[in-house]
Amino acid sequence: MSEPSTLTRDTSDTGTGRRLQAVLLDMDGTLIESEHLWGEAEAELVAELGGVWTPRDHEANVGNAAEPVGRYIVALTGADHLTPRQVADLLYEKFRTKLEGGAQLRPGAKELVDMLSQAGVPVVLVTSTERQLIQAAIGGIGLDSFDDSVAGDEVEANKPHPDPYLRAARRLGVEPERCVAFEDSVVGVASAADAGCVTVAVPNHVEIPPREGVVFRDSLVGVDLDWLESLVADR
């Protein structure tokens, strides 16, 4: 069965002979500074449902897909009259409103995407966020700057399952082991690493425990092609 793709150019043959075949990028917290917007939306919704959303609750849900967050909120507030999907939809509406002012880019994000595009390295957005919000959320870079994108509602199992990254690699026709993935959350790192990607953790709002094979950076600033190539040199 064929699967939907948002490929914007032919990536079947990069013609470069590089070991690096693609770079796969998480969105929330990695490319855009949106986790605080999610936190505000979550807190407002939980308050409306009669509960209190704490920083610990937000931290426990960073990087998660909408329905698991909805399930968490139902359990927290006792709002059993709502399904997790209904809570997720309410949360998305609040987040969409907060995006109207635009999401601030993380340092080095646009420069990294531009550098990869100019170098001819396929770059894919791999996010837990559902398709309906991606265009607005990534507007500071532009969805058309990516060769493809995988949304949270387009996979069989969302992060921390490896399916999002496996699907991204499969649609490009590349090997996950020769892709570099950037993530800012525990669930995102698990997804990328379990898919076999070289995984770069850039912690933002949550601490990410050390994991064998995962490279840590303070930010995206200064990431260059030589460094990315070095990460897959032995693969």
Side-chain angles (χ1 to χ4, degrees):
M1 186 177 92
S2 62
E3 56 185 312
S5 176
T6 58
L7 280 168
T8 57
R9 67 180 176 89
D10 182 9
T11 59
S12 60
D13 181 12
T14 59
T16 63
R18 295 190 183 104
R19 294 292 298 170
L20 176 66
Q21 293 186 337
V23 174
L24 314 177
L25 299 167
D26 172 56
M27 185 175 72
D28 291 291
T30 300
L31 294 180
I32 61 172
E33 188 57 271
S34 56
E35 291 299 351
H36 68 293
L37 300 180
W38 281 113
E40 291 170 8
E42 292 157 351
E44 290 173 11
L45 179 57
V46 167
E48 291 173 6
L49 295 175
V52 176
W53 190 255
T54 68
R56 180 173 293 181
D57 293 315
H58 176 65
E59 183 174 322
N61 286 278
V62 168
N64 276 336
E67 286 200 42
V69 177
R71 194 174 302 115
Y72 185 100
I73 290 175
V74 169
L76 177 68
T77 62
D80 296 327
H81 61 292
L82 296 172
T83 66
R85 181 66 253 175
Q86 289 173 320
V87 173
D89 289 341
L90 292 171
L91 183 60
Y92 264 50
E93 284 306 310
K94 289 186 176 296
F95 183 66
R96 189 194 306 276
T97 299
K98 294 181 182 300
L99 277 177
E100 289 177 356
Q104 182 180 353
L105 297 180
R106 295 287 296 154
K110 184 168 177 54
E111 291 81 0
L112 174 58
V113 174
D114 288 347
M115 181 272 291
L116 293 168
S117 179
Q118 291 168 13
V121 177
V123 57
V124 181
L125 192 66
V126 184
T127 176
S128 294
T129 298
E130 296 179 8
R131 176 63 60 185
Q132 59 175 304
L133 283 183
I134 292 178
Q135 184 74 50
I138 202 64
I141 296 177
L143 191 57
D144 58 356
S145 298
F146 298 85
D147 296 288
D148 197 5
S149 56
V150 176
D153 53 340
E154 297 170 348
V155 294
E156 293 296 327
N158 214 327
K159 302 174 186 179
H161 194 277
D163 187 35
Y165 283 98
L166 291 173
R167 180 165 297 207
R170 184 168 63 248
R171 295 205 312 209
L172 284 176
V174 299
E175 304 166 37
E177 295 79 8
R178 290 173 62 185
C179 296
V180 177
F182 286 81
E183 277 284 356
D184 76 305
S185 69
V186 176
V187 296
V189 165
S191 176
D194 287 348
C197 301
V198 177
T199 304
V200 180
V202 190
N204 186 356
H205 288 270
V206 297
E207 182 178 348
I208 300 176
R211 173 171 173 159
E212 185 176 357
V214 174
V215 179
F216 282 75
R217 284 187 69 98
D218 292 332
S219 79
L220 301 178
V221 175
V223 174
D224 60 31
L225 195 56
D226 287 343
W227 184 73
L228 291 171
E229 288 279 5
S230 73
L231 295 179
V232 296
D234 297 327
R235 293 197 165 205

Short mmCIF file of all heavy atoms in Angstrom, two decimals, residues 20-86:
data_model
loop_
_atom_site.label_atom_id
_atom_site.label_comp_id
_atom_site.label_asym_id
_atom_site.label_seq_id
_atom_site.Cartn_x
_atom_site.Cartn_y
_atom_site.Cartn_z
N LEU A 20 26.55 10.67 4.68
CA LEU A 20 25.34 11.27 5.21
C LEU A 20 24.25 11.27 4.14
O LEU A 20 24.41 11.87 3.08
CB LEU A 20 25.62 12.71 5.67
CG LEU A 20 24.43 13.52 6.18
CD1 LEU A 20 23.89 12.93 7.48
CD2 LEU A 20 24.83 14.98 6.37
N GLN A 21 23.12 10.62 4.42
CA GLN A 21 22.06 10.52 3.42
C GLN A 21 20.91 11.49 3.67
O GLN A 21 20.21 11.87 2.73
CB GLN A 21 21.53 9.09 3.36
CG GLN A 21 22.55 8.10 2.82
CD GLN A 21 21.96 6.71 2.63
OE1 GLN A 21 20.97 6.33 3.23
NE2 GLN A 21 22.60 5.94 1.75
N ALA A 22 20.68 11.90 4.92
CA ALA A 22 19.60 12.83 5.21
C ALA A 22 19.73 13.34 6.64
O ALA A 22 20.38 12.71 7.48
CB ALA A 22 18.24 12.18 5.01
N VAL A 23 19.09 14.46 6.90
CA VAL A 23 18.98 15.00 8.26
C VAL A 23 17.50 15.11 8.59
O VAL A 23 16.71 15.65 7.80
CB VAL A 23 19.68 16.36 8.39
CG1 VAL A 23 19.42 16.96 9.78
CG2 VAL A 23 21.18 16.20 8.18
N LEU A 24 17.12 14.57 9.73
CA LEU A 24 15.72 14.49 10.16
C LEU A 24 15.55 15.35 11.41
O LEU A 24 16.26 15.16 12.40
CB LEU A 24 15.34 13.04 10.43
CG LEU A 24 15.79 12.02 9.37
CD1 LEU A 24 15.43 10.60 9.79
CD2 LEU A 24 15.17 12.35 8.01
N LEU A 25 14.61 16.29 11.37
CA LEU A 25 14.50 17.30 12.42
C LEU A 25 13.15 17.29 13.11
O LEU A 25 12.10 17.40 12.46
CB LEU A 25 14.74 18.69 11.82
CG LEU A 25 16.11 18.93 11.17
CD1 LEU A 25 16.09 20.21 10.36
CD2 LEU A 25 17.20 18.99 12.24
N ASP A 26 13.17 17.17 14.42
CA ASP A 26 11.98 17.39 15.23
C ASP A 26 11.59 18.87 15.15
O ASP A 26 12.43 19.71 14.79
CB ASP A 26 12.29 16.99 16.68
CG ASP A 26 11.19 17.37 17.63
OD1 ASP A 26 10.04 16.95 17.41
OD2 ASP A 26 11.47 18.11 18.60
N MET A 27 10.34 19.19 15.47
CA MET A 27 9.89 20.58 15.37
C MET A 27 9.80 21.27 16.73
O MET A 27 10.62 22.13 17.05
CB MET A 27 8.54 20.64 14.65
CG MET A 27 8.05 22.07 14.40
SD MET A 27 6.51 22.15 13.43
CE MET A 27 5.33 21.56 14.65
N ASP A 28 8.81 20.90 17.55
CA ASP A 28 8.57 21.60 18.81
C ASP A 28 9.75 21.46 19.77
O ASP A 28 10.15 20.35 20.12
CB ASP A 28 7.30 21.05 19.48
CG ASP A 28 6.05 21.41 18.71
OD1 ASP A 28 5.69 22.60 18.68
OD2 ASP A 28 5.44 20.50 18.11
N GLY A 29 10.29 22.59 20.17
CA GLY A 29 11.40 22.60 21.10
C GLY A 29 12.76 22.42 20.46
O GLY A 29 13.78 22.74 21.07
N THR A 30 12.79 21.91 19.22
CA THR A 30 14.05 21.72 18.51
C THR A 30 14.26 22.82 17.48
O THR A 30 15.30 23.49 17.49
CB THR A 30 14.07 20.34 17.80
OG1 THR A 30 13.93 19.31 18.78
CG2 THR A 30 15.39 20.13 17.05
N LEU A 31 13.28 23.03 16.62
CA LEU A 31 13.37 24.10 15.61
C LEU A 31 12.62 25.36 16.03
O LEU A 31 13.01 26.47 15.66
CB LEU A 31 12.81 23.62 14.27
CG LEU A 31 13.58 22.50 13.56
CD1 LEU A 31 12.90 22.15 12.25
CD2 LEU A 31 15.03 22.91 13.30
N ILE A 32 11.54 25.18 16.78
CA ILE A 32 10.76 26.35 17.23
C ILE A 32 10.61 26.33 18.74
O ILE A 32 10.58 25.27 19.36
CB ILE A 32 9.38 26.40 16.55
CG1 ILE A 32 8.54 25.17 16.90
CG2 ILE A 32 9.51 26.55 15.03
CD1 ILE A 32 7.10 25.25 16.43
N GLU A 33 10.51 27.52 19.30
CA GLU A 33 10.35 27.66 20.75
C GLU A 33 8.86 27.65 21.05
O GLU A 33 8.23 28.70 21.22
CB GLU A 33 11.00 28.96 21.23
CG GLU A 33 11.06 29.12 22.74
CD GLU A 33 11.78 27.98 23.41
OE1 GLU A 33 11.11 26.98 23.75
OE2 GLU A 33 13.00 28.07 23.59
N SER A 34 8.30 26.46 21.11
CA SER A 34 6.85 26.33 21.25
C SER A 34 6.42 25.60 22.51
O SER A 34 5.22 25.57 22.81
CB SER A 34 6.26 25.60 20.03
OG SER A 34 6.90 24.34 19.87
N GLU A 35 7.35 25.02 23.24
CA GLU A 35 6.95 24.23 24.40
C GLU A 35 6.24 25.08 25.45
O GLU A 35 5.31 24.61 26.11
CB GLU A 35 8.16 23.53 25.02
CG GLU A 35 8.76 22.42 24.15
CD GLU A 35 7.80 21.27 23.86
OE1 GLU A 35 6.70 21.23 24.46
OE2 GLU A 35 8.15 20.42 23.03
N HIS A 36 6.63 26.36 25.59
CA HIS A 36 5.93 27.21 26.54
C HIS A 36 4.50 27.49 26.09
O HIS A 36 3.60 27.65 26.91
CB HIS A 36 6.69 28.52 26.76
CG HIS A 36 6.71 29.43 25.59
ND1 HIS A 36 7.39 29.13 24.41
CD2 HIS A 36 6.12 30.64 25.38
CE1 HIS A 36 7.22 30.12 23.55
NE2 HIS A 36 6.46 31.04 24.10
N LEU A 37 4.29 27.53 24.76
CA LEU A 37 2.94 27.73 24.24
C LEU A 37 2.06 26.52 24.53
O LEU A 37 0.90 26.64 24.90
CB LEU A 37 2.98 28.01 22.73
CG LEU A 37 3.78 29.23 22.29
CD1 LEU A 37 3.73 29.37 20.76
CD2 LEU A 37 3.24 30.50 22.95
N TRP A 38 2.66 25.32 24.34
CA TRP A 38 1.94 24.11 24.69
C TRP A 38 1.61 24.11 26.19
O TRP A 38 0.50 23.76 26.60
CB TRP A 38 2.75 22.86 24.36
CG TRP A 38 2.73 22.46 22.92
CD1 TRP A 38 3.76 22.48 22.04
CD2 TRP A 38 1.60 21.98 22.17
NE1 TRP A 38 3.37 22.04 20.80
CE2 TRP A 38 2.05 21.72 20.85
CE3 TRP A 38 0.27 21.73 22.51
CZ2 TRP A 38 1.20 21.24 19.87
CZ3 TRP A 38 -0.58 21.24 21.52
CH2 TRP A 38 -0.11 21.00 20.21
N GLY A 39 2.57 24.51 27.01
CA GLY A 39 2.36 24.54 28.45
C GLY A 39 1.23 25.48 28.85
O GLY A 39 0.40 25.16 29.72
N GLU A 40 1.18 26.66 28.20
CA GLU A 40 0.10 27.61 28.48
C GLU A 40 -1.25 27.05 28.06
O GLU A 40 -2.24 27.17 28.79
CB GLU A 40 0.37 28.92 27.73
CG GLU A 40 1.55 29.70 28.27
CD GLU A 40 1.92 30.87 27.36
OE1 GLU A 40 1.15 31.15 26.41
OE2 GLU A 40 2.97 31.51 27.60
N ALA A 41 -1.29 26.42 26.88
CA ALA A 41 -2.54 25.84 26.38
C ALA A 41 -3.02 24.72 27.30
O ALA A 41 -4.21 24.62 27.63
CB ALA A 41 -2.35 25.32 24.96
N GLU A 42 -2.08 23.88 27.74
CA GLU A 42 -2.42 22.78 28.63
C GLU A 42 -2.96 23.30 29.96
O GLU A 42 -3.98 22.81 30.47
CB GLU A 42 -1.18 21.90 28.87
CG GLU A 42 -0.74 21.13 27.63
CD GLU A 42 0.73 20.74 27.65
OE1 GLU A 42 1.48 21.20 28.54
OE2 GLU A 42 1.13 19.96 26.76
N ALA A 43 -2.28 24.31 30.53
CA ALA A 43 -2.68 24.85 31.82
C ALA A 43 -4.08 25.47 31.74
O ALA A 43 -4.90 25.30 32.65
CB ALA A 43 -1.67 25.88 32.29
N GLU A 44 -4.36 26.20 30.66
CA GLU A 44 -5.67 26.82 30.50
C GLU A 44 -6.77 25.78 30.38
O GLU A 44 -7.83 25.91 31.00
CB GLU A 44 -5.67 27.73 29.27
CG GLU A 44 -4.82 28.99 29.44
CD GLU A 44 -4.70 29.79 28.15
OE1 GLU A 44 -5.44 29.49 27.18
OE2 GLU A 44 -3.87 30.71 28.11
N LEU A 45 -6.52 24.75 29.58
CA LEU A 45 -7.54 23.72 29.39
C LEU A 45 -7.78 22.94 30.69
O LEU A 45 -8.94 22.69 31.06
CB LEU A 45 -7.11 22.76 28.28
CG LEU A 45 -8.07 21.61 27.99
CD1 LEU A 45 -9.45 22.13 27.64
CD2 LEU A 45 -7.52 20.73 26.87
N VAL A 46 -6.71 22.58 31.38
CA VAL A 46 -6.86 21.85 32.63
C VAL A 46 -7.63 22.69 33.66
O VAL A 46 -8.49 22.16 34.39
CB VAL A 46 -5.48 21.43 33.17
CG1 VAL A 46 -5.58 20.96 34.62
CG2 VAL A 46 -4.89 20.33 32.30
N ALA A 47 -7.36 24.00 33.71
CA ALA A 47 -8.09 24.87 34.63
C ALA A 47 -9.58 24.89 34.30
O ALA A 47 -10.43 24.85 35.20
CB ALA A 47 -7.52 26.29 34.57
N GLU A 48 -9.90 24.93 33.02
CA GLU A 48 -11.31 24.91 32.60
C GLU A 48 -11.99 23.61 32.99
O GLU A 48 -13.20 23.57 33.21
CB GLU A 48 -11.40 25.11 31.09
CG GLU A 48 -11.02 26.51 30.64
CD GLU A 48 -10.96 26.64 29.13
OE1 GLU A 48 -11.34 25.68 28.43
OE2 GLU A 48 -10.55 27.72 28.64
N LEU A 49 -11.21 22.54 33.08
CA LEU A 49 -11.75 21.23 33.46
C LEU A 49 -11.69 20.99 34.96
O LEU A 49 -11.99 19.89 35.44
CB LEU A 49 -11.00 20.12 32.72
CG LEU A 49 -11.16 20.13 31.19
CD1 LEU A 49 -10.27 19.06 30.55
CD2 LEU A 49 -12.62 19.91 30.80
N GLY A 50 -11.27 22.03 35.71
CA GLY A 50 -11.29 21.95 37.16
C GLY A 50 -10.04 21.43 37.81
O GLY A 50 -10.04 21.10 39.00
N GLY A 51 -8.95 21.38 37.07
CA GLY A 51 -7.70 20.87 37.61
C GLY A 51 -6.60 21.93 37.65
O GLY A 51 -6.82 23.09 37.30
N VAL A 52 -5.42 21.51 38.06
CA VAL A 52 -4.25 22.38 38.11
C VAL A 52 -3.11 21.70 37.36
O VAL A 52 -2.80 20.54 37.63
CB VAL A 52 -3.81 22.66 39.56
CG1 VAL A 52 -2.53 23.50 39.57
CG2 VAL A 52 -4.92 23.37 40.33
N TRP A 53 -2.52 22.42 36.42
CA TRP A 53 -1.42 21.90 35.59
C TRP A 53 -0.11 22.45 36.14
O TRP A 53 0.10 23.65 36.17
CB TRP A 53 -1.62 22.35 34.15
CG TRP A 53 -0.70 21.71 33.14
CD1 TRP A 53 0.37 22.30 32.53
CD2 TRP A 53 -0.80 20.40 32.59
NE1 TRP A 53 0.95 21.42 31.65
CE2 TRP A 53 0.26 20.25 31.65
CE3 TRP A 53 -1.67 19.32 32.79
CZ2 TRP A 53 0.46 19.08 30.93
CZ3 TRP A 53 -1.46 18.16 32.07
CH2 TRP A 53 -0.41 18.04 31.15
N THR A 54 0.76 21.58 36.59
CA THR A 54 2.01 22.00 37.20
C THR A 54 3.17 21.86 36.21
O THR A 54 3.04 21.17 35.20
CB THR A 54 2.31 21.14 38.44
OG1 THR A 54 2.61 19.80 38.00
CG2 THR A 54 1.14 21.12 39.40
N PRO A 55 4.30 22.50 36.49
CA PRO A 55 5.48 22.30 35.65
C PRO A 55 5.86 20.82 35.52
O PRO A 55 6.33 20.39 34.48
CB PRO A 55 6.56 23.10 36.38
CG PRO A 55 5.81 24.19 37.07
CD PRO A 55 4.53 23.54 37.52
N ARG A 56 5.63 20.06 36.57
CA ARG A 56 5.94 18.62 36.50
C ARG A 56 5.03 17.92 35.50
O ARG A 56 5.47 17.03 34.77
CB ARG A 56 5.79 17.99 37.89
CG ARG A 56 6.10 16.50 37.91
CD ARG A 56 6.11 15.96 39.32
NE ARG A 56 7.24 16.50 40.08
CZ ARG A 56 7.50 16.17 41.35
NH1 ARG A 56 6.73 15.30 41.98
NH2 ARG A 56 8.53 16.71 41.97
N ASP A 57 3.76 18.31 35.46
CA ASP A 57 2.84 17.73 34.48
C ASP A 57 3.30 18.05 33.06
O ASP A 57 3.29 17.19 32.17
CB ASP A 57 1.42 18.26 34.69
CG ASP A 57 0.80 17.78 36.00
OD1 ASP A 57 0.92 16.58 36.29
OD2 ASP A 57 0.22 18.61 36.71
N HIS A 58 3.68 19.30 32.85
CA HIS A 58 4.14 19.69 31.51
C HIS A 58 5.39 18.90 31.12
O HIS A 58 5.49 18.39 30.00
CB HIS A 58 4.43 21.19 31.47
CG HIS A 58 5.00 21.64 30.17
ND1 HIS A 58 4.29 21.57 28.98
CD2 HIS A 58 6.22 22.13 29.84
CE1 HIS A 58 5.05 22.02 27.99
NE2 HIS A 58 6.22 22.36 28.48
N GLU A 59 6.33 18.81 32.05
CA GLU A 59 7.58 18.09 31.77
C GLU A 59 7.32 16.64 31.42
O GLU A 59 7.96 16.07 30.53
CB GLU A 59 8.51 18.18 32.98
CG GLU A 59 9.86 17.52 32.77
CD GLU A 59 10.81 17.76 33.93
OE1 GLU A 59 10.80 18.87 34.49
OE2 GLU A 59 11.55 16.82 34.28
N ALA A 60 6.34 16.03 32.07
CA ALA A 60 6.02 14.62 31.82
C ALA A 60 5.44 14.40 30.43
O ALA A 60 5.42 13.28 29.93
CB ALA A 60 5.04 14.12 32.87
N ASN A 61 4.97 15.48 29.80
CA ASN A 61 4.31 15.35 28.50
C ASN A 61 5.06 15.99 27.34
O ASN A 61 4.56 15.96 26.21
CB ASN A 61 2.90 15.95 28.59
CG ASN A 61 1.95 15.06 29.36
OD1 ASN A 61 1.41 14.11 28.82
ND2 ASN A 61 1.77 15.35 30.65
N VAL A 62 6.23 16.56 27.59
CA VAL A 62 7.00 17.18 26.51
C VAL A 62 7.34 16.13 25.45
O VAL A 62 7.88 15.07 25.76
CB VAL A 62 8.29 17.83 27.06
CG1 VAL A 62 9.22 18.21 25.91
CG2 VAL A 62 7.95 19.06 27.88
N GLY A 63 7.01 16.45 24.22
CA GLY A 63 7.32 15.56 23.11
C GLY A 63 6.25 14.54 22.79
O GLY A 63 6.32 13.87 21.75
N ASN A 64 5.25 14.41 23.67
CA ASN A 64 4.20 13.43 23.45
C ASN A 64 3.21 13.89 22.39
O ASN A 64 3.03 15.08 22.16
CB ASN A 64 3.43 13.14 24.75
CG ASN A 64 4.12 12.10 25.60
OD1 ASN A 64 4.89 11.27 25.11
ND2 ASN A 64 3.86 12.13 26.90
N ALA A 65 2.54 12.92 21.77
CA ALA A 65 1.48 13.22 20.81
C ALA A 65 0.24 13.72 21.54
O ALA A 65 0.12 13.62 22.76
CB ALA A 65 1.16 11.97 20.00
N ALA A 66 -0.70 14.27 20.75
CA ALA A 66 -1.87 14.93 21.34
C ALA A 66 -2.76 13.99 22.14
O ALA A 66 -3.20 14.34 23.25
CB ALA A 66 -2.68 15.61 20.23
N GLU A 67 -3.05 12.81 21.62
CA GLU A 67 -3.98 11.93 22.33
C GLU A 67 -3.43 11.39 23.64
O GLU A 67 -4.16 11.32 24.63
CB GLU A 67 -4.46 10.80 21.42
CG GLU A 67 -5.46 11.29 20.37
CD GLU A 67 -6.31 10.18 19.78
OE1 GLU A 67 -6.75 9.29 20.55
OE2 GLU A 67 -6.51 10.20 18.56
N PRO A 68 -2.15 11.00 23.73
CA PRO A 68 -1.62 10.63 25.05
C PRO A 68 -1.68 11.78 26.05
O PRO A 68 -1.95 11.55 27.24
CB PRO A 68 -0.17 10.24 24.73
CG PRO A 68 -0.21 9.76 23.33
CD PRO A 68 -1.21 10.64 22.65
N VAL A 69 -1.46 13.02 25.58
CA VAL A 69 -1.60 14.17 26.48
C VAL A 69 -3.06 14.30 26.90
O VAL A 69 -3.37 14.57 28.07
CB VAL A 69 -1.11 15.47 25.81
CG1 VAL A 69 -1.34 16.66 26.75
CG2 VAL A 69 0.36 15.36 25.46
N GLY A 70 -3.98 14.10 25.94
CA GLY A 70 -5.40 14.14 26.27
C GLY A 70 -5.77 13.10 27.30
O GLY A 70 -6.55 13.36 28.23
N ARG A 71 -5.21 11.91 27.17
CA ARG A 71 -5.47 10.83 28.13
C ARG A 71 -4.96 11.22 29.52
O ARG A 71 -5.62 10.97 30.54
CB ARG A 71 -4.79 9.55 27.64
CG ARG A 71 -5.23 8.29 28.35
CD ARG A 71 -4.61 7.05 27.68
NE ARG A 71 -4.99 6.98 26.27
CZ ARG A 71 -4.13 7.09 25.26
NH1 ARG A 71 -2.83 7.24 25.50
NH2 ARG A 71 -4.54 7.01 24.02
N TYR A 72 -3.79 11.84 29.55
CA TYR A 72 -3.20 12.30 30.82
C TYR A 72 -4.10 13.33 31.48
O TYR A 72 -4.32 13.30 32.69
CB TYR A 72 -1.81 12.87 30.52
CG TYR A 72 -1.00 13.28 31.73
CD1 TYR A 72 -0.01 12.45 32.23
CD2 TYR A 72 -1.20 14.52 32.34
CE1 TYR A 72 0.76 12.84 33.34
CE2 TYR A 72 -0.45 14.92 33.43
CZ TYR A 72 0.53 14.07 33.93
OH TYR A 72 1.28 14.46 35.02
N ILE A 73 -4.61 14.27 30.68
CA ILE A 73 -5.45 15.34 31.21
C ILE A 73 -6.77 14.79 31.74
O ILE A 73 -7.27 15.23 32.79
CB ILE A 73 -5.68 16.43 30.14
CG1 ILE A 73 -4.37 17.20 29.89
CG2 ILE A 73 -6.80 17.40 30.55
CD1 ILE A 73 -4.44 18.22 28.77
N VAL A 74 -7.36 13.83 31.04
CA VAL A 74 -8.59 13.20 31.52
C VAL A 74 -8.35 12.55 32.88
O VAL A 74 -9.15 12.69 33.82
CB VAL A 74 -9.11 12.16 30.50
CG1 VAL A 74 -10.23 11.32 31.12
CG2 VAL A 74 -9.62 12.85 29.24
N ALA A 75 -7.25 11.82 33.01
CA ALA A 75 -6.93 11.15 34.28
C ALA A 75 -6.66 12.17 35.38
O ALA A 75 -7.07 11.98 36.53
CB ALA A 75 -5.72 10.24 34.10
N LEU A 76 -6.00 13.28 35.03
CA LEU A 76 -5.65 14.31 36.01
C LEU A 76 -6.88 15.03 36.53
O LEU A 76 -7.00 15.32 37.73
CB LEU A 76 -4.68 15.31 35.38
CG LEU A 76 -4.25 16.50 36.25
CD1 LEU A 76 -3.38 16.03 37.41
CD2 LEU A 76 -3.50 17.52 35.40
N THR A 77 -7.80 15.35 35.64
CA THR A 77 -8.95 16.18 35.99
C THR A 77 -10.22 15.39 36.29
O THR A 77 -11.18 15.95 36.84
CB THR A 77 -9.27 17.16 34.84
OG1 THR A 77 -9.61 16.41 33.67
CG2 THR A 77 -8.07 18.06 34.55
N GLY A 78 -10.24 14.11 35.93
CA GLY A 78 -11.45 13.33 36.10
C GLY A 78 -12.54 13.69 35.11
O GLY A 78 -13.72 13.40 35.34
N ALA A 79 -12.14 14.30 33.98
CA ALA A 79 -13.11 14.73 32.96
C ALA A 79 -13.49 13.54 32.08
O ALA A 79 -13.23 13.52 30.88
CB ALA A 79 -12.51 15.86 32.12
N ASP A 80 -14.16 12.56 32.70
CA ASP A 80 -14.48 11.32 31.99
C ASP A 80 -15.58 11.49 30.94
O ASP A 80 -15.86 10.56 30.17
CB ASP A 80 -14.90 10.24 32.99
CG ASP A 80 -13.77 9.87 33.94
OD1 ASP A 80 -12.60 9.90 33.50
OD2 ASP A 80 -14.05 9.55 35.11
N HIS A 81 -16.21 12.66 30.92
CA HIS A 81 -17.23 12.91 29.90
C HIS A 81 -16.59 13.23 28.55
O HIS A 81 -17.29 13.32 27.54
CB HIS A 81 -18.13 14.07 30.33
CG HIS A 81 -17.40 15.37 30.52
ND1 HIS A 81 -16.49 15.58 31.55
CD2 HIS A 81 -17.43 16.54 29.81
CE1 HIS A 81 -16.02 16.81 31.48
NE2 HIS A 81 -16.57 17.41 30.43
N LEU A 82 -15.27 13.41 28.55
CA LEU A 82 -14.53 13.69 27.32
C LEU A 82 -13.62 12.53 26.99
O LEU A 82 -13.05 11.90 27.88
CB LEU A 82 -13.69 14.96 27.47
CG LEU A 82 -14.44 16.28 27.70
CD1 LEU A 82 -13.45 17.39 28.02
CD2 LEU A 82 -15.29 16.64 26.48
N THR A 83 -13.46 12.26 25.71
CA THR A 83 -12.49 11.26 25.28
C THR A 83 -11.13 11.93 25.14
O THR A 83 -11.04 13.17 25.00
CB THR A 83 -12.88 10.67 23.92
OG1 THR A 83 -12.78 11.69 22.92
CG2 THR A 83 -14.28 10.09 23.96
N PRO A 84 -10.03 11.16 25.18
CA PRO A 84 -8.72 11.75 24.95
C PRO A 84 -8.64 12.51 23.63
O PRO A 84 -7.97 13.54 23.53
CB PRO A 84 -7.79 10.54 24.96
CG PRO A 84 -8.46 9.58 25.88
CD PRO A 84 -9.93 9.75 25.59
N ARG A 85 -9.33 12.01 22.60
CA ARG A 85 -9.33 12.71 21.31
C ARG A 85 -10.03 14.06 21.41
O ARG A 85 -9.56 15.05 20.84
CB ARG A 85 -10.03 11.85 20.25
CG ARG A 85 -10.09 12.44 18.85
CD ARG A 85 -8.72 12.56 18.22
NE ARG A 85 -8.21 13.91 18.15
CZ ARG A 85 -7.00 14.22 17.73
NH1 ARG A 85 -6.16 13.28 17.35
NH2 ARG A 85 -6.60 15.47 17.70
N GLN A 86 -11.13 14.12 22.12
CA GLN A 86 -11.83 15.40 22.30
C GLN A 86 -10.96 16.39 23.07
O GLN A 86 -10.92 17.58 22.73
CB GLN A 86 -13.15 15.16 23.02
CG GLN A 86 -14.20 14.46 22.17
CD GLN A 86 -15.44 14.09 22.97
OE1 GLN A 86 -15.36 13.66 24.13
NE2 GLN A 86 -16.61 14.26 22.35
#
